[in-house]
Amino acid sequence: MLKKRIIPCLDIKNGRTVKGINFKGLRDAGDPIALAQKYEEEGADELVFLDISATEERRATLLPLVQEIAHHLSIPFTVGGGIQSVRDVSNLLQAGADKVSLNSAAVNNPKLIQELSMAFGRQCIVLAIDSKEIFGKDTVFIHGGKKPTELETLDWARRGIDLGAGELLLTSMDFDGTKKGFDLRLLQKISKALPVPIIASGGAGNTTHFSEVFTKTNVTGALAASIFHFGEIAIPALKQELQQQKIPVRWI
Amino acid sequence: MITLLKYNAGNILSVQNALNRLGYDSVVTHDKKVLEKAEKVIIPGVGEASSAMEYLKAHELDVLIPKLQQPVLGICLGLQLLCRSSEEGNALCLGVFDSEVVRFPSTEMIPHMGWNNCTELAGTLTKNIPETADFYYVHSFYATRSKHTKSICHYGIPFSATLEKDNFFATQFHPEKSASVGTILLKNFLEL
């Protein structure tokens, strides 16, 4: 049986992880490789690395880091943040990333999804969508959630899949950081309408939130950052809980 | 030396990285002489079947590969190329395994992507691996069951997760992306 995926997300800036990370046994908390390995050992099913460096020097640090990650990790990983072109994606995949995620660039230039899908296959193209409800309309935001667009979330997700995205990473900005649980309404709406793998993001605060999102929506993965980084939820305990709820998880 | 087949498919680096972690050096080539003399050959790959077969034919590897005598491991697309034929681009493949490669029924989410376990484990590759162990899959086409099937994966329908025939071995999943259990499987092949 296909398992539900638990996916920690690491924010990277200038080659280091950001946000305070508090992991027992990790001396240098800013080292993305050490943290990634720790997550792999604990049973993370995939990892997402989100590059939030704002400057042009970004690529200078990102590509060697991706190579290092690929050398050390034996689980799949996605790299996102600031990807603009076919060349960017080609470089990241050649450095060893399994998938790339696109956000603002896909909104600004939807044909990019098609070009990438044709060049590299849809299985490695993840469409990341930041969604916020504005006057009852699920609205797509870009530029790290700073800029609203005209796009309705389901419409954009469907278009992205038609253009060749193989997977959605759907973040609810209304729920992100609240720790009150995933945005079940939004995730249910999108995952019922679209037959593609969807990763739920935003709002996870405890293990019950994960079992809820897997039982009440059709998402196939759930992503979180700080609750894993701060050790508020340990992945082995989370998986044990999910297994007790009869949710299929990979056991190691 | 472990020799990885170079062709128009991706993911070769992931396999090289996995071999490195296990302490094995490898070369990547489509040179027939190097392939013939290799200690072991791995056909990795994420790609499209018909264009991959065209590449192999252009380099006369469609004749060479089925005649190789040393252990050969096909991974993902590598497995599919070792079968008789593929619906992906209607390709006639290498014909080592009796399976046919067909598309998943549209009732399932395609691609089949993520961690899934194998059942009815037999053969050499899955030695010391329990049926509860999960491997990482990414594929839209699958190999039907045949007399060379050595384990089954279920995704809507049952299909060949591993195939073995004489010196030929293959996995539909990616052992190089399957954490510690993938490492055990790769070792089972490398230590043949």
Side-chain angles (χ1 to χ4, degrees):
Chain A
M1 183 183 258
L2 191 64
K3 307 302 186 289
K4 299 292 187 181
R5 295 169 291 157
I6 302 298
I7 307 172
C9 177
L10 286 72
D11 285 348
I12 303 290
K13 194 171 186 179
N14 306 324
R16 311 290 291 171
T17 49
V18 292
K19 289 186 183 171
I21 287 164
N22 179 11
F23 234 141
K24 272 184 199 162
L26 277 190
R27 229 171 260 168
D28 185 352
D31 180 2
I33 309 288
L35 187 60
Q37 282 183 303
K38 176 94 177 163
Y39 280 131
E40 175 176 331
E41 282 163 26
E42 288 201 330
D45 298 308
E46 286 183 37
L47 294 176
V48 170
F49 295 89
L50 197 58
D51 186 30
I52 57 167
S53 316
T55 63
E56 281 301 310
E57 294 97 67
R58 173 164 45 84
R59 254 168 209 85
T61 56
L62 185 61
L63 283 177
L65 176 65
V66 170
Q67 280 171 351
E68 271 295 290
I69 293 165
H71 184 78
H72 286 94
L73 272 194
S74 57
I75 56 172
F77 69 97
T78 301
V79 178
I83 294 170
Q84 299 288 340
S85 65
V86 174
R87 194 197 168 104
D88 288 345
V89 171
S90 175
N91 286 340
L92 288 167
L93 294 177
Q94 273 177 31
D98 296 285
K99 306 184 238 186
V100 294
S101 86
L102 299 174
N103 195 328
S104 308
V107 170
N108 293 331
N109 176 19
K111 272 182 75 179
L112 180 61
I113 303 174
Q114 202 169 18
E115 285 168 28
L116 293 172
S117 177
M118 304 252 280
F120 308 108
R122 63 167 58 221
Q123 80 289 335
C124 64
I125 309 302
V126 181
L127 179 61
I129 302 178
D130 294 335
S131 178
K132 187 175 165 67
E133 201 180 338
I134 306 277
F135 299 120
K137 176 186 167 189
D138 291 317
T139 305
V140 176
F141 276 65
I142 55 173
H143 297 159
K146 289 191 211 66
K147 190 179 166 194
T149 68
E150 296 288 306
L151 300 166
E152 194 277 330
T153 305
L154 177 58
D155 289 345
W156 171 234
R158 183 177 280 129
R159 177 140 183 250
I161 288 156
D162 289 345
L163 285 166
E167 187 171 13
L168 298 178
L169 168 52
L170 188 57
T171 302
S172 166
M173 292 168 58
D174 299 306
F175 283 62
D176 200 23
T178 63
K179 295 191 184 176
K180 65 180 184 185
F182 290 97
D183 190 341
L184 298 177
R185 180 200 61 81
L186 177 71
L187 291 160
Q188 203 162 31
K189 171 177 148 182
I190 309 291
S191 69
K192 277 202 171 152
L194 302 174
V196 294
I198 295 175
I199 301 168
S201 160
N206 59 45
T207 53
T208 309
H209 295 150
F210 285 87
S211 57
E212 261 175 14
V213 80
F214 288 134
T215 50
K216 294 183 179 167
T217 78
N218 294 333
V219 302
T220 57
L223 176 142
S226 57
I227 53 157
F228 292 137
H229 302 328
F230 289 115
E232 289 168 40
I233 293 183
I235 292 171
L238 171 60
K239 287 197 158 182
Q240 200 164 16
E241 171 75 19
L242 293 176
Q243 202 178 39
Q244 276 167 9
Q245 310 275 338
K246 307 266 185 265
I247 295 162
V249 287
R250 178 174 73 104
W251 200 241
I252 61 162
Chain B
M1 187 76 105
I2 310 297
T3 303
L4 304 182
L5 178 69
K6 177 184 174 182
Y7 67 118
N8 53 343
N11 218 39
I12 291 173
L13 179 71
S14 303
V15 178
Q16 260 194 315
N17 279 332
L19 295 176
N20 270 335
R21 287 193 294 271
L22 289 165
Y24 289 84
D25 283 335
S26 55
V27 291
V28 182
T29 184
H30 57 212
D31 185 314
K32 286 198 288 183
K33 287 196 180 106
V34 178
L35 284 162
E36 269 173 336
K37 289 191 178 139
E39 181 194 335
K40 292 189 173 72
V41 174
I42 299 181
I43 309 175
V46 170
E48 196 274 328
S50 64
S51 54
M53 279 308 301
E54 273 167 35
Y55 184 99
L56 297 186
K57 279 181 198 154
H59 294 82
E60 297 171 4
L61 295 167
D62 58 321
V63 181
L64 176 89
I65 293 169
K67 289 185 189 156
L68 289 172
Q69 299 294 311
Q70 64 273 61
V72 177
L73 174 65
I75 296 173
C76 194
L77 180 61
L79 172 144
Q80 301 190 352
L81 296 176
L82 289 167
C83 292
R84 286 216 296 240
S85 63
S86 173
E87 274 185 8
E88 190 178 23
N90 286 321
L92 201 60
C93 296
L94 299 167
V96 170
F97 301 123
D98 273 351
S99 300
E100 318 277 346
V101 176
V102 296
R103 196 173 171 85
F104 275 114
S106 55
T107 48
E108 300 304 318
M109 239 182 241
I110 298 172
H112 171 224
M113 191 191 66
W115 298 83
N116 205 332
N117 62 311
C118 306
T119 58
E120 299 173 42
L121 301 184
T124 308
L125 286 179
T126 52
K127 195 178 66 181
N128 299 326
I129 292 174
E131 294 207 343
T132 49
D134 291 302
F135 292 95
Y136 188 76
Y137 289 83
V138 187
H139 60 127
S140 301
F141 293 79
Y142 68 92
T144 56
R145 285 187 288 179
S146 71
K147 64 181 182 214
H148 301 125
T149 301
K150 293 292 178 186
S151 67
I152 304 284
C153 180
H154 291 262
Y155 188 61
I157 37 86
F159 65 88
S160 296
T162 60
L163 290 158
E164 297 183 16
K165 178 192 173 188
D166 306 325
N167 57 317
F168 288 90
F169 303 84
T171 67
Q172 181 58 65
F173 49 81
H174 289 275
E176 76 280 9
K177 286 284 160 188
S178 295
S180 53
V181 66
T183 305
I184 298 174
L185 186 137
L186 284 174
K187 271 190 177 167
N188 286 342
F189 174 76
L190 293 166
E191 289 167 6
L192 279 174

Short mmCIF file of all heavy atoms in Angstrom, two decimals, chain B residues 5 32 35-36 41 43 53 56-57 59-74 78-85 92-98 148 165-169:
data_model
loop_
_atom_site.label_atom_id
_atom_site.label_comp_id
_atom_site.label_asym_id
_atom_site.label_seq_id
_atom_site.Cartn_x
_atom_site.Cartn_y
_atom_site.Cartn_z
N LEU B 5 25.41 2.61 -17.07
CA LEU B 5 25.14 2.88 -18.47
C LEU B 5 24.78 4.34 -18.66
O LEU B 5 23.89 4.88 -18.01
CB LEU B 5 23.98 2.00 -18.95
CG LEU B 5 23.58 2.23 -20.41
CD1 LEU B 5 24.67 1.75 -21.36
CD2 LEU B 5 22.27 1.54 -20.72
N LYS B 32 31.01 0.33 -25.58
CA LYS B 32 30.71 -1.10 -25.58
C LYS B 32 31.83 -1.93 -24.93
O LYS B 32 31.57 -2.88 -24.20
CB LYS B 32 30.49 -1.58 -27.02
CG LYS B 32 29.15 -1.12 -27.58
CD LYS B 32 28.73 -1.93 -28.78
CE LYS B 32 29.58 -1.59 -29.99
NZ LYS B 32 29.15 -2.32 -31.19
N LEU B 35 31.73 -1.57 -21.18
CA LEU B 35 30.58 -2.28 -20.63
C LEU B 35 30.81 -3.80 -20.62
O LEU B 35 30.50 -4.48 -19.66
CB LEU B 35 29.32 -1.94 -21.45
CG LEU B 35 28.71 -0.55 -21.20
CD1 LEU B 35 27.78 -0.16 -22.32
CD2 LEU B 35 27.99 -0.51 -19.86
N GLU B 36 31.37 -4.31 -21.70
CA GLU B 36 31.62 -5.76 -21.79
C GLU B 36 32.55 -6.24 -20.70
O GLU B 36 32.40 -7.34 -20.19
CB GLU B 36 32.24 -6.09 -23.16
CG GLU B 36 31.19 -6.44 -24.20
CD GLU B 36 31.80 -6.61 -25.59
OE1 GLU B 36 32.88 -6.04 -25.86
OE2 GLU B 36 31.17 -7.30 -26.41
N VAL B 41 27.16 -4.13 -14.16
CA VAL B 41 26.58 -3.03 -14.93
C VAL B 41 25.27 -2.61 -14.29
O VAL B 41 24.46 -3.46 -13.90
CB VAL B 41 26.33 -3.46 -16.40
CG1 VAL B 41 25.58 -2.37 -17.17
CG2 VAL B 41 27.66 -3.79 -17.09
N ILE B 43 21.89 -0.14 -14.98
CA ILE B 43 21.14 0.70 -15.93
C ILE B 43 20.16 1.53 -15.09
O ILE B 43 19.10 1.05 -14.72
CB ILE B 43 20.38 -0.15 -16.96
CG1 ILE B 43 21.32 -1.18 -17.61
CG2 ILE B 43 19.73 0.73 -18.01
CD1 ILE B 43 20.63 -2.16 -18.55
N MET B 53 15.26 3.74 -25.92
CA MET B 53 15.58 2.61 -26.82
C MET B 53 16.27 3.10 -28.09
O MET B 53 17.18 2.45 -28.59
CB MET B 53 14.31 1.82 -27.17
CG MET B 53 13.85 0.83 -26.11
SD MET B 53 15.13 -0.33 -25.54
CE MET B 53 15.60 -1.16 -27.04
N LEU B 56 19.82 3.64 -27.26
CA LEU B 56 20.55 2.37 -27.14
C LEU B 56 20.84 1.78 -28.52
O LEU B 56 21.93 1.28 -28.78
CB LEU B 56 19.76 1.37 -26.29
CG LEU B 56 19.50 1.75 -24.83
CD1 LEU B 56 18.84 0.59 -24.09
CD2 LEU B 56 20.80 2.14 -24.12
N LYS B 57 19.84 1.86 -29.41
CA LYS B 57 20.03 1.32 -30.77
C LYS B 57 21.12 2.09 -31.51
O LYS B 57 21.96 1.49 -32.17
CB LYS B 57 18.72 1.40 -31.55
CG LYS B 57 17.78 0.26 -31.22
CD LYS B 57 16.51 0.38 -32.04
CE LYS B 57 15.41 -0.47 -31.41
NZ LYS B 57 14.07 0.03 -31.73
N HIS B 59 23.64 3.37 -30.40
CA HIS B 59 24.96 2.99 -29.90
C HIS B 59 25.16 1.47 -29.92
O HIS B 59 26.07 0.95 -29.26
CB HIS B 59 25.17 3.54 -28.49
CG HIS B 59 25.23 5.04 -28.45
ND1 HIS B 59 24.11 5.83 -28.45
CD2 HIS B 59 26.28 5.89 -28.47
CE1 HIS B 59 24.46 7.10 -28.44
NE2 HIS B 59 25.76 7.18 -28.47
N GLU B 60 24.27 0.76 -30.63
CA GLU B 60 24.31 -0.71 -30.76
C GLU B 60 24.28 -1.42 -29.41
O GLU B 60 24.75 -2.55 -29.27
CB GLU B 60 25.55 -1.14 -31.56
CG GLU B 60 25.53 -0.63 -32.98
CD GLU B 60 26.84 -0.86 -33.71
OE1 GLU B 60 27.74 -1.49 -33.14
OE2 GLU B 60 26.95 -0.40 -34.86
N LEU B 61 23.71 -0.75 -28.41
CA LEU B 61 23.66 -1.36 -27.08
C LEU B 61 22.46 -2.28 -26.93
O LEU B 61 22.42 -3.11 -26.02
CB LEU B 61 23.62 -0.25 -26.02
CG LEU B 61 24.89 0.60 -25.97
CD1 LEU B 61 24.68 1.85 -25.13
CD2 LEU B 61 26.06 -0.21 -25.42
N ASP B 62 21.49 -2.17 -27.84
CA ASP B 62 20.32 -3.06 -27.79
C ASP B 62 20.73 -4.50 -28.06
O ASP B 62 20.07 -5.43 -27.62
CB ASP B 62 19.24 -2.60 -28.78
CG ASP B 62 19.77 -2.55 -30.21
OD1 ASP B 62 20.93 -2.13 -30.41
OD2 ASP B 62 19.02 -2.93 -31.13
N VAL B 63 21.83 -4.68 -28.78
CA VAL B 63 22.35 -6.03 -29.06
C VAL B 63 23.27 -6.48 -27.92
O VAL B 63 23.21 -7.61 -27.46
CB VAL B 63 23.12 -6.05 -30.40
CG1 VAL B 63 23.62 -7.45 -30.70
CG2 VAL B 63 22.22 -5.54 -31.53
N LEU B 64 24.08 -5.53 -27.46
CA LEU B 64 25.08 -5.88 -26.44
C LEU B 64 24.46 -6.23 -25.09
O LEU B 64 24.82 -7.25 -24.48
CB LEU B 64 26.06 -4.70 -26.26
CG LEU B 64 27.08 -4.92 -25.16
CD1 LEU B 64 28.32 -5.60 -25.70
CD2 LEU B 64 27.45 -3.62 -24.47
N ILE B 65 23.55 -5.40 -24.61
CA ILE B 65 23.07 -5.55 -23.22
C ILE B 65 22.49 -6.94 -22.92
O ILE B 65 22.88 -7.57 -21.94
CB ILE B 65 22.09 -4.42 -22.85
CG1 ILE B 65 22.83 -3.08 -22.81
CG2 ILE B 65 21.42 -4.69 -21.49
CD1 ILE B 65 21.93 -1.85 -22.73
N PRO B 66 21.60 -7.48 -23.78
CA PRO B 66 21.05 -8.80 -23.45
C PRO B 66 22.10 -9.91 -23.42
O PRO B 66 21.86 -10.97 -22.85
CB PRO B 66 20.03 -9.04 -24.57
CG PRO B 66 19.72 -7.69 -25.11
CD PRO B 66 20.99 -6.91 -24.98
N LYS B 67 23.27 -9.66 -24.03
CA LYS B 67 24.32 -10.69 -24.06
C LYS B 67 25.32 -10.56 -22.92
O LYS B 67 26.25 -11.37 -22.83
CB LYS B 67 25.08 -10.60 -25.39
CG LYS B 67 24.25 -11.06 -26.58
CD LYS B 67 25.12 -11.04 -27.83
CE LYS B 67 24.30 -11.28 -29.08
NZ LYS B 67 24.95 -10.72 -30.27
N LEU B 68 25.18 -9.53 -22.10
CA LEU B 68 26.16 -9.33 -21.02
C LEU B 68 26.15 -10.54 -20.09
O LEU B 68 25.10 -11.14 -19.82
CB LEU B 68 25.84 -8.05 -20.24
CG LEU B 68 26.10 -6.72 -20.96
CD1 LEU B 68 25.56 -5.55 -20.13
CD2 LEU B 68 27.59 -6.53 -21.25
N GLN B 69 27.33 -10.90 -19.60
CA GLN B 69 27.47 -12.10 -18.75
C GLN B 69 27.57 -11.76 -17.27
O GLN B 69 27.28 -12.58 -16.42
CB GLN B 69 28.74 -12.87 -19.16
CG GLN B 69 28.74 -13.37 -20.59
CD GLN B 69 27.67 -14.41 -20.84
OE1 GLN B 69 27.54 -15.36 -20.09
NE2 GLN B 69 26.88 -14.21 -21.90
N GLN B 70 28.02 -10.54 -16.97
CA GLN B 70 28.20 -10.14 -15.57
C GLN B 70 26.86 -9.71 -14.98
O GLN B 70 25.90 -9.52 -15.71
CB GLN B 70 29.24 -9.00 -15.47
CG GLN B 70 28.84 -7.71 -16.15
CD GLN B 70 29.20 -7.67 -17.60
OE1 GLN B 70 28.73 -8.48 -18.39
NE2 GLN B 70 30.04 -6.73 -17.99
N PRO B 71 26.77 -9.56 -13.64
CA PRO B 71 25.51 -9.11 -13.04
C PRO B 71 25.10 -7.73 -13.57
O PRO B 71 25.92 -6.82 -13.63
CB PRO B 71 25.83 -9.04 -11.54
CG PRO B 71 26.96 -10.00 -11.35
CD PRO B 71 27.78 -9.89 -12.62
N VAL B 72 23.84 -7.61 -13.97
CA VAL B 72 23.29 -6.37 -14.50
C VAL B 72 22.08 -5.98 -13.65
O VAL B 72 21.24 -6.84 -13.35
CB VAL B 72 22.84 -6.54 -15.97
CG1 VAL B 72 22.19 -5.26 -16.50
CG2 VAL B 72 24.01 -6.95 -16.86
N LEU B 73 22.02 -4.72 -13.23
CA LEU B 73 20.88 -4.25 -12.44
C LEU B 73 20.20 -3.10 -13.18
O LEU B 73 20.81 -2.07 -13.46
CB LEU B 73 21.35 -3.76 -11.06
CG LEU B 73 20.28 -3.10 -10.17
CD1 LEU B 73 19.19 -4.09 -9.78
CD2 LEU B 73 20.93 -2.49 -8.91
N GLY B 74 18.92 -3.28 -13.48
CA GLY B 74 18.13 -2.20 -14.08
C GLY B 74 17.28 -1.54 -13.01
O GLY B 74 16.67 -2.23 -12.19
N GLY B 78 15.27 1.53 -16.25
CA GLY B 78 16.20 0.43 -16.56
C GLY B 78 15.49 -0.91 -16.53
O GLY B 78 15.72 -1.77 -17.40
N LEU B 79 14.62 -1.12 -15.55
CA LEU B 79 13.82 -2.35 -15.49
C LEU B 79 12.92 -2.44 -16.72
O LEU B 79 12.83 -3.49 -17.35
CB LEU B 79 12.97 -2.36 -14.21
CG LEU B 79 11.90 -3.47 -14.07
CD1 LEU B 79 11.78 -3.94 -12.63
CD2 LEU B 79 10.53 -3.07 -14.61
N GLN B 80 12.28 -1.33 -17.04
CA GLN B 80 11.30 -1.36 -18.13
C GLN B 80 11.99 -1.64 -19.47
O GLN B 80 11.45 -2.36 -20.31
CB GLN B 80 10.52 -0.05 -18.15
CG GLN B 80 9.79 0.17 -16.82
CD GLN B 80 8.80 1.33 -16.83
OE1 GLN B 80 8.74 2.09 -17.78
NE2 GLN B 80 8.03 1.45 -15.75
N LEU B 81 13.20 -1.12 -19.64
CA LEU B 81 13.93 -1.36 -20.90
C LEU B 81 14.34 -2.82 -21.03
O LEU B 81 14.49 -3.33 -22.14
CB LEU B 81 15.16 -0.46 -20.98
CG LEU B 81 14.89 1.04 -21.04
CD1 LEU B 81 16.20 1.82 -21.01
CD2 LEU B 81 14.06 1.41 -22.27
N LEU B 82 14.50 -3.51 -19.91
CA LEU B 82 14.89 -4.93 -19.96
C LEU B 82 13.69 -5.85 -20.25
O LEU B 82 13.85 -7.04 -20.44
CB LEU B 82 15.57 -5.34 -18.65
CG LEU B 82 16.97 -4.76 -18.41
CD1 LEU B 82 17.41 -4.97 -16.97
CD2 LEU B 82 18.00 -5.38 -19.37
N CYS B 83 12.48 -5.28 -20.27
CA CYS B 83 11.29 -6.09 -20.57
C CYS B 83 11.12 -6.24 -22.08
O CYS B 83 11.95 -5.79 -22.86
CB CYS B 83 10.06 -5.44 -19.94
SG CYS B 83 10.11 -5.52 -18.13
N ARG B 84 10.01 -6.90 -22.49
CA ARG B 84 9.84 -7.17 -23.93
C ARG B 84 9.47 -5.92 -24.71
O ARG B 84 9.99 -5.68 -25.80
CB ARG B 84 8.75 -8.23 -24.11
CG ARG B 84 9.21 -9.61 -23.72
CD ARG B 84 8.60 -10.66 -24.61
NE ARG B 84 7.16 -10.71 -24.48
CZ ARG B 84 6.49 -11.78 -24.09
NH1 ARG B 84 7.15 -12.88 -23.79
NH2 ARG B 84 5.19 -11.75 -24.02
N SER B 85 8.53 -5.14 -24.15
CA SER B 85 8.06 -3.97 -24.88
C SER B 85 7.48 -2.98 -23.89
O SER B 85 7.22 -3.32 -22.75
CB SER B 85 6.98 -4.37 -25.88
OG SER B 85 5.87 -4.88 -25.15
N LEU B 92 9.72 -1.31 -28.68
CA LEU B 92 10.19 -2.69 -28.55
C LEU B 92 11.43 -2.61 -27.68
O LEU B 92 12.35 -1.86 -27.98
CB LEU B 92 10.53 -3.25 -29.94
CG LEU B 92 10.55 -4.76 -30.06
CD1 LEU B 92 9.19 -5.35 -29.72
CD2 LEU B 92 10.96 -5.15 -31.48
N CYS B 93 11.46 -3.37 -26.58
CA CYS B 93 12.57 -3.22 -25.63
C CYS B 93 13.56 -4.38 -25.75
O CYS B 93 13.61 -5.04 -26.77
CB CYS B 93 12.02 -3.03 -24.23
SG CYS B 93 11.06 -1.50 -24.09
N LEU B 94 14.36 -4.61 -24.69
CA LEU B 94 15.50 -5.51 -24.82
C LEU B 94 15.13 -6.99 -24.69
O LEU B 94 15.92 -7.85 -25.07
CB LEU B 94 16.56 -5.13 -23.77
CG LEU B 94 17.12 -3.71 -23.93
CD1 LEU B 94 17.93 -3.30 -22.70
CD2 LEU B 94 18.00 -3.61 -25.18
N GLY B 95 13.97 -7.29 -24.14
CA GLY B 95 13.47 -8.66 -24.15
C GLY B 95 14.17 -9.64 -23.22
O GLY B 95 14.09 -10.84 -23.41
N VAL B 96 14.84 -9.14 -22.20
CA VAL B 96 15.47 -10.05 -21.24
C VAL B 96 14.39 -10.69 -20.36
O VAL B 96 14.36 -11.91 -20.18
CB VAL B 96 16.50 -9.30 -20.36
CG1 VAL B 96 16.98 -10.17 -19.21
CG2 VAL B 96 17.67 -8.83 -21.22
N PHE B 97 13.50 -9.87 -19.83
CA PHE B 97 12.40 -10.38 -18.98
C PHE B 97 11.14 -10.54 -19.83
O PHE B 97 10.90 -9.76 -20.76
CB PHE B 97 12.12 -9.40 -17.83
CG PHE B 97 13.30 -9.15 -16.94
CD1 PHE B 97 13.78 -7.87 -16.74
CD2 PHE B 97 13.94 -10.20 -16.28
CE1 PHE B 97 14.87 -7.61 -15.92
CE2 PHE B 97 15.03 -9.96 -15.46
CZ PHE B 97 15.51 -8.67 -15.27
N ASP B 98 10.31 -11.51 -19.44
CA ASP B 98 9.09 -11.79 -20.21
C ASP B 98 7.97 -10.78 -19.99
O ASP B 98 6.93 -10.87 -20.63
CB ASP B 98 8.58 -13.20 -19.86
CG ASP B 98 9.24 -14.24 -20.75
OD1 ASP B 98 9.92 -13.83 -21.71
OD2 ASP B 98 9.09 -15.45 -20.48
N HIS B 148 9.55 -14.19 -14.50
CA HIS B 148 10.76 -13.59 -13.93
C HIS B 148 10.48 -12.65 -12.76
O HIS B 148 11.40 -12.11 -12.16
CB HIS B 148 11.53 -12.85 -15.03
CG HIS B 148 11.92 -13.74 -16.16
ND1 HIS B 148 11.61 -13.50 -17.48
CD2 HIS B 148 12.59 -14.93 -16.13
CE1 HIS B 148 12.07 -14.49 -18.23
NE2 HIS B 148 12.67 -15.36 -17.44
N LYS B 165 16.47 -12.77 -13.74
CA LYS B 165 16.66 -13.89 -14.68
C LYS B 165 18.16 -14.06 -14.88
O LYS B 165 18.83 -13.16 -15.37
CB LYS B 165 15.99 -13.58 -16.01
CG LYS B 165 16.17 -14.66 -17.06
CD LYS B 165 15.74 -14.11 -18.41
CE LYS B 165 16.06 -15.08 -19.52
NZ LYS B 165 15.81 -14.45 -20.84
N ASP B 166 18.69 -15.21 -14.49
CA ASP B 166 20.13 -15.49 -14.59
C ASP B 166 20.94 -14.34 -13.97
O ASP B 166 20.78 -14.04 -12.82
CB ASP B 166 20.55 -15.75 -16.05
CG ASP B 166 19.69 -16.84 -16.70
OD1 ASP B 166 19.32 -17.79 -15.97
OD2 ASP B 166 19.39 -16.75 -17.89
N ASN B 167 21.75 -13.66 -14.81
CA ASN B 167 22.59 -12.56 -14.29
C ASN B 167 21.89 -11.20 -14.37
O ASN B 167 22.51 -10.18 -14.09
CB ASN B 167 23.91 -12.50 -15.07
CG ASN B 167 23.69 -12.31 -16.56
OD1 ASN B 167 22.81 -12.96 -17.13
ND2 ASN B 167 24.45 -11.44 -17.19
N PHE B 168 20.62 -11.19 -14.73
CA PHE B 168 19.88 -9.92 -14.85
C PHE B 168 18.95 -9.70 -13.66
O PHE B 168 18.20 -10.61 -13.28
CB PHE B 168 19.09 -9.88 -16.16
CG PHE B 168 19.96 -9.72 -17.37
CD1 PHE B 168 20.45 -10.83 -18.04
CD2 PHE B 168 20.30 -8.46 -17.83
CE1 PHE B 168 21.27 -10.69 -19.15
CE2 PHE B 168 21.12 -8.30 -18.94
CZ PHE B 168 21.62 -9.42 -19.60
N PHE B 169 19.01 -8.50 -13.12
CA PHE B 169 18.21 -8.12 -11.94
C PHE B 169 17.59 -6.76 -12.23
O PHE B 169 18.18 -5.95 -12.95
CB PHE B 169 19.11 -8.03 -10.70
CG PHE B 169 19.86 -9.29 -10.40
CD1 PHE B 169 21.06 -9.58 -11.04
CD2 PHE B 169 19.35 -10.22 -9.50
CE1 PHE B 169 21.75 -10.76 -10.79
CE2 PHE B 169 20.02 -11.40 -9.24
CZ PHE B 169 21.23 -11.68 -9.88
#
